[in-house]
Amino acid sequence: MSAVRLAVHHVTEYTYDASVEWAYHAACLAPRDTPWQAVSGWRLTIDPLPDGWGVEGLELDAAELARHLRRDPWGNRHLSFGHARVHEKLVVDSRFVAELSRRPLPDPTSGPAWEGVAASLRYRAGRELQPADEFALASTYAAPDATLAAYARRAFSPGRTLAAGGLSLMHQIRADLRYLPHSTTVATRAADALAQRSGVCQDFAHVFIAACRSLGLAARYVSGYLLTRPAPGATKLVGADASHAWAELWCPEQGWLALDPTNAVPAGLDHVTLAWGRDYADVAPLRGVLRGGGVATLRVGVAVEPVG
């Protein structure tokens, strides 16, 4: 199979045990086109309708939705919205179709040794900046440190090709860390997830990224989705019932190598890309501040299904 069409439905619902008097939210839910992904029919419904958005009870058309979007430095589209009226529930519903074509698999036998790539990313006076440079620097949840560097060197042995090292690190993380829901929070950093040897897809991606950065390599965080129900006879990937995350490692000859350490597989026709950034903080699907609300109950539902 060289291409598939997948329908994605992502619902986030907050129910508050006290009235919310005022709220302001930021969302990163607009899927992006890539060389291997073409998006169509994206629709976003927010209930209650945000202040200043269209007419209550009417679905927003594409033009109205586009008016509220802004692009970040990496080309992701974000939107901000607020409510200055009392409400007890917030529902954000995103739907779209993604047509995926098969991307080239990382080739561990070709390309440069990882040390040379790290040297090329190292800052020196007068060197022209490269787009990958910022992904070699520390970020909030994926900061380099000595422990992560030592962990990465188990996979990136001297003289090994970058692609071979990245694939090895992906398998190493899958073997060493236990996928354990609720063992971490959205604020858990890579070093902490590695120390406790458990986490969810976000943590697996952060460990991969921070380990690579600890050796001077460039890696970025990708948010997205996984096929909910695989084809008959295929194994269901871990993380398919929620939004997912993986990592991409920069290789000058092969481009961004998309690697999913939660499942120890390169990203393929099961992986739908939403956005990418330095770590989770850049592409959180939904976050906000509010006055009132008491204790909030969160329900997230994700379905990714093949379409004809």
Side-chain angles (χ1 to χ4, degrees), residues 11-35:
V11 180
T12 304
E13 179 182 297
Y14 283 97
T15 303
Y16 308 102
D17 68 359
S19 295
V20 175
E21 301 173 14
W22 174 93
Y24 185 81
H25 296 275
C28 185
L29 289 167
R32 62 185 300 160
D33 291 309
T34 76

Tab-separated table of all heavy atoms in Angstrom, residues 11-35:
chain	number	residue	atom	x	y	z
A	11	VAL	N	-11.928	15.232	19.915
A	11	VAL	CA	-12.833	16.009	20.771
A	11	VAL	C	-12.195	16.186	22.145
A	11	VAL	O	-11.744	15.213	22.761
A	11	VAL	CB	-14.201	15.308	20.939
A	11	VAL	CG1	-15.115	16.143	21.829
A	11	VAL	CG2	-14.849	15.069	19.599
A	12	THR	N	-12.151	17.433	22.608
A	12	THR	CA	-11.703	17.743	23.959
A	12	THR	C	-12.859	18.389	24.711
A	12	THR	O	-13.449	19.361	24.237
A	12	THR	CB	-10.514	18.718	23.940
A	12	THR	OG1	-9.467	18.167	23.138
A	12	THR	CG2	-9.994	18.963	25.352
A	13	GLU	N	-13.180	17.830	25.867
A	13	GLU	CA	-14.328	18.329	26.637
A	13	GLU	C	-13.918	18.570	28.085
A	13	GLU	O	-13.419	17.673	28.766
A	13	GLU	CB	-15.472	17.327	26.585
A	13	GLU	CG	-16.705	17.732	27.381
A	13	GLU	CD	-17.782	16.682	27.330
A	13	GLU	OE1	-18.296	16.414	26.220
A	13	GLU	OE2	-18.090	16.110	28.399
A	14	TYR	N	-14.093	19.800	28.538
A	14	TYR	CA	-13.885	20.156	29.937
A	14	TYR	C	-15.250	20.397	30.579
A	14	TYR	O	-16.044	21.205	30.081
A	14	TYR	CB	-13.050	21.431	30.071
A	14	TYR	CG	-11.571	21.246	29.850
A	14	TYR	CD1	-11.002	21.523	28.613
A	14	TYR	CD2	-10.745	20.806	30.886
A	14	TYR	CE1	-9.637	21.369	28.409
A	14	TYR	CE2	-9.377	20.644	30.684
A	14	TYR	CZ	-8.838	20.927	29.453
A	14	TYR	OH	-7.487	20.770	29.241
A	15	THR	N	-15.511	19.707	31.690
A	15	THR	CA	-16.717	19.939	32.482
A	15	THR	C	-16.275	20.463	33.840
A	15	THR	O	-15.442	19.837	34.515
A	15	THR	CB	-17.523	18.645	32.659
A	15	THR	OG1	-17.847	18.113	31.362
A	15	THR	CG2	-18.811	18.924	33.426
A	16	TYR	N	-16.807	21.616	34.229
A	16	TYR	CA	-16.382	22.290	35.455
A	16	TYR	C	-17.419	22.092	36.552
A	16	TYR	O	-18.625	22.102	36.291
A	16	TYR	CB	-16.180	23.790	35.191
A	16	TYR	CG	-15.283	24.083	34.007
A	16	TYR	CD1	-15.829	24.475	32.781
A	16	TYR	CD2	-13.904	23.962	34.112
A	16	TYR	CE1	-15.013	24.733	31.683
A	16	TYR	CE2	-13.082	24.217	33.024
A	16	TYR	CZ	-13.647	24.603	31.809
A	16	TYR	OH	-12.838	24.854	30.729
A	17	ASP	N	-16.944	21.928	37.799
A	17	ASP	CA	-17.901	21.740	38.894
A	17	ASP	C	-18.342	23.065	39.505
A	17	ASP	O	-19.134	23.090	40.450
A	17	ASP	CB	-17.340	20.793	39.962
A	17	ASP	CG	-16.159	21.365	40.729
A	17	ASP	OD1	-15.741	22.505	40.443
A	17	ASP	OD2	-15.656	20.672	41.635
A	18	ALA	N	-17.848	24.168	38.956
A	18	ALA	CA	-18.320	25.500	39.319
A	18	ALA	C	-18.292	26.356	38.058
A	18	ALA	O	-17.564	26.050	37.106
A	18	ALA	CB	-17.452	26.114	40.413
A	19	SER	N	-19.054	27.403	38.041
A	19	SER	CA	-19.145	28.233	36.841
A	19	SER	C	-17.819	28.917	36.534
A	19	SER	O	-17.128	29.409	37.427
A	19	SER	CB	-20.231	29.297	37.026
A	19	SER	OG	-21.501	28.707	37.149
A	20	VAL	N	-17.479	28.928	35.241
A	20	VAL	CA	-16.332	29.695	34.760
A	20	VAL	C	-16.838	31.093	34.409
A	20	VAL	O	-17.765	31.250	33.614
A	20	VAL	CB	-15.697	29.030	33.522
A	20	VAL	CG1	-14.572	29.908	32.967
A	20	VAL	CG2	-15.174	27.647	33.875
A	21	GLU	N	-16.207	32.098	34.995
A	21	GLU	CA	-16.639	33.476	34.752
A	21	GLU	C	-15.936	34.103	33.555
A	21	GLU	O	-16.491	34.957	32.868
A	21	GLU	CB	-16.372	34.319	36.004
A	21	GLU	CG	-17.089	33.814	37.247
A	21	GLU	CD	-16.660	34.561	38.490
A	21	GLU	OE1	-16.015	35.618	38.351
A	21	GLU	OE2	-16.958	34.079	39.599
A	22	TRP	N	-14.700	33.679	33.325
A	22	TRP	CA	-13.886	34.252	32.243
A	22	TRP	C	-12.837	33.234	31.854
A	22	TRP	O	-12.295	32.526	32.710
A	22	TRP	CB	-13.222	35.541	32.727
A	22	TRP	CG	-12.252	36.151	31.773
A	22	TRP	CD1	-12.494	37.105	30.841
A	22	TRP	CD2	-10.843	35.864	31.670
A	22	TRP	NE1	-11.357	37.422	30.154
A	22	TRP	CE2	-10.315	36.676	30.647
A	22	TRP	CE3	-9.977	34.990	32.338
A	22	TRP	CZ2	-8.978	36.649	30.273
A	22	TRP	CZ3	-8.634	34.949	31.974
A	22	TRP	CH2	-8.163	35.773	30.951
A	23	ALA	N	-12.531	33.103	30.558
A	23	ALA	CA	-11.533	32.124	30.111
A	23	ALA	C	-10.859	32.611	28.839
A	23	ALA	O	-11.460	33.325	28.029
A	23	ALA	CB	-12.196	30.771	29.861
A	24	TYR	N	-9.601	32.192	28.696
A	24	TYR	CA	-8.840	32.491	27.472
A	24	TYR	C	-8.027	31.249	27.129
A	24	TYR	O	-7.332	30.697	27.984
A	24	TYR	CB	-7.911	33.683	27.688
A	24	TYR	CG	-7.186	34.112	26.430
A	24	TYR	CD1	-7.823	34.911	25.477
A	24	TYR	CD2	-5.874	33.718	26.188
A	24	TYR	CE1	-7.177	35.301	24.324
A	24	TYR	CE2	-5.217	34.106	25.038
A	24	TYR	CZ	-5.866	34.896	24.110
A	24	TYR	OH	-5.220	35.281	22.958
A	25	HIS	N	-8.130	30.791	25.876
A	25	HIS	CA	-7.494	29.542	25.472
A	25	HIS	C	-6.629	29.738	24.222
A	25	HIS	O	-6.889	30.627	23.403
A	25	HIS	CB	-8.559	28.482	25.164
A	25	HIS	CG	-9.389	28.085	26.337
A	25	HIS	ND1	-9.011	27.121	27.234
A	25	HIS	CD2	-10.597	28.547	26.763
A	25	HIS	CE1	-9.936	26.998	28.166
A	25	HIS	NE2	-10.904	27.841	27.901
A	26	ALA	N	-5.631	28.885	24.102
A	26	ALA	CA	-4.812	28.806	22.888
A	26	ALA	C	-4.828	27.369	22.410
A	26	ALA	O	-4.719	26.429	23.208
A	26	ALA	CB	-3.382	29.251	23.178
A	27	ALA	N	-4.972	27.184	21.100
A	27	ALA	CA	-5.090	25.840	20.526
A	27	ALA	C	-4.147	25.668	19.351
A	27	ALA	O	-3.921	26.608	18.586
A	27	ALA	CB	-6.525	25.572	20.081
A	28	CYS	N	-3.596	24.470	19.248
A	28	CYS	CA	-2.796	24.093	18.085
A	28	CYS	C	-3.420	22.818	17.525
A	28	CYS	O	-2.965	21.714	17.799
A	28	CYS	CB	-1.334	23.873	18.469
A	28	CYS	SG	-0.241	23.544	17.077
A	29	LEU	N	-4.483	22.992	16.760
A	29	LEU	CA	-5.283	21.874	16.267
A	29	LEU	C	-5.456	21.894	14.756
A	29	LEU	O	-6.168	21.047	14.213
A	29	LEU	CB	-6.664	21.886	16.942
A	29	LEU	CG	-6.685	21.498	18.425
A	29	LEU	CD1	-8.024	21.853	19.045
A	29	LEU	CD2	-6.384	20.012	18.595
A	30	ALA	N	-4.824	22.852	14.082
A	30	ALA	CA	-4.941	22.928	12.625
A	30	ALA	C	-3.899	22.012	11.996
A	30	ALA	O	-2.692	22.258	12.114
A	30	ALA	CB	-4.734	24.365	12.148
A	31	PRO	N	-4.307	20.932	11.330
A	31	PRO	CA	-3.332	20.009	10.738
A	31	PRO	C	-2.583	20.674	9.595
A	31	PRO	O	-3.106	21.556	8.916
A	31	PRO	CB	-4.201	18.852	10.247
A	31	PRO	CG	-5.534	19.488	9.996
A	31	PRO	CD	-5.700	20.556	11.028
A	32	ARG	N	-1.360	20.243	9.366
A	32	ARG	CA	-0.547	20.870	8.336
A	32	ARG	C	-0.276	19.916	7.173
A	32	ARG	O	-0.225	18.696	7.346
A	32	ARG	CB	0.764	21.397	8.917
A	32	ARG	CG	1.693	20.364	9.510
A	32	ARG	CD	2.899	21.042	10.152
A	32	ARG	NE	3.660	21.828	9.185
A	32	ARG	CZ	4.501	22.811	9.530
A	32	ARG	NH1	4.701	23.106	10.801
A	32	ARG	NH2	5.166	23.466	8.605
A	33	ASP	N	-0.113	20.496	5.998
A	33	ASP	CA	0.302	19.729	4.830
A	33	ASP	C	1.806	19.516	4.877
A	33	ASP	O	2.565	20.383	5.329
A	33	ASP	CB	-0.069	20.475	3.549
A	33	ASP	CG	-1.570	20.521	3.314
A	33	ASP	OD1	-2.206	19.455	3.364
A	33	ASP	OD2	-2.104	21.627	3.105
A	34	THR	N	2.248	18.364	4.420
A	34	THR	CA	3.667	18.043	4.316
A	34	THR	C	3.879	17.352	2.973
A	34	THR	O	2.917	17.065	2.257
A	34	THR	CB	4.109	17.094	5.458
A	34	THR	OG1	3.639	15.759	5.172
A	34	THR	CG2	3.571	17.539	6.813
A	35	PRO	N	5.144	17.068	2.606
A	35	PRO	CA	5.356	16.330	1.350
A	35	PRO	C	4.673	14.966	1.321
A	35	PRO	O	4.455	14.414	0.245
A	35	PRO	CB	6.884	16.182	1.299
A	35	PRO	CG	7.403	17.355	2.068
A	35	PRO	CD	6.420	17.542	3.185
